Amino acid sequence: KVTLDKYTIIEATGQKKVIYNWLQHFSLQSLQQEFEENGFEIDKVYGDVTGSDYDPDSDGFAIVASKK
């Protein structure tokens, strides 16, 4: 799944900037397949980057992976 966050910044001078942030979203299963197809293996799955326990019902997760 790919999403786009688009921001338009209009400065007081009238100058306009448009910022596009494209984000690709993975499930744990789709990310695991992506890693395996490219020679990596997932060593550990966490609930977030601070190392909390993984919750499959959560919106996010963090992984530790290594090259096979």
Side-chain angles (χ1 to χ4, degrees):
K1 178 179 177 184
V2 176
T3 61
L4 169 64
D5 289 335
K6 178 184 173 188
Y7 302 93
T8 302
I9 301 169
I10 302 171
E11 298 178 0
T13 62
Q15 186 176 6
K16 180 174 141 180
K17 296 178 184 177
V18 180
I19 299 169
Y20 299 95
N21 289 325
W22 289 97
L23 305 169
Q24 184 167 356
H25 302 267
F26 292 91
S27 68
L28 181 55
Q29 293 77 20
S30 65
L31 190 61
Q32 186 171 16
Q33 180 180 347
E34 186 89 13
F35 272 54
E36 288 177 0
E37 289 174 359
N38 289 284
F40 288 85
E41 60 187 353
I42 294 177
D43 300 321
K44 183 69 179 165
V45 180
Y46 295 102
D48 57 32
V49 296
T50 65
S52 67
D53 291 336
Y54 172 66
D55 177 1
D57 295 325
S58 176
D59 288 337
F61 59 89
I63 63 163
V64 175
S66 58
K67 187 78 171 167
K68 289 183 179 181

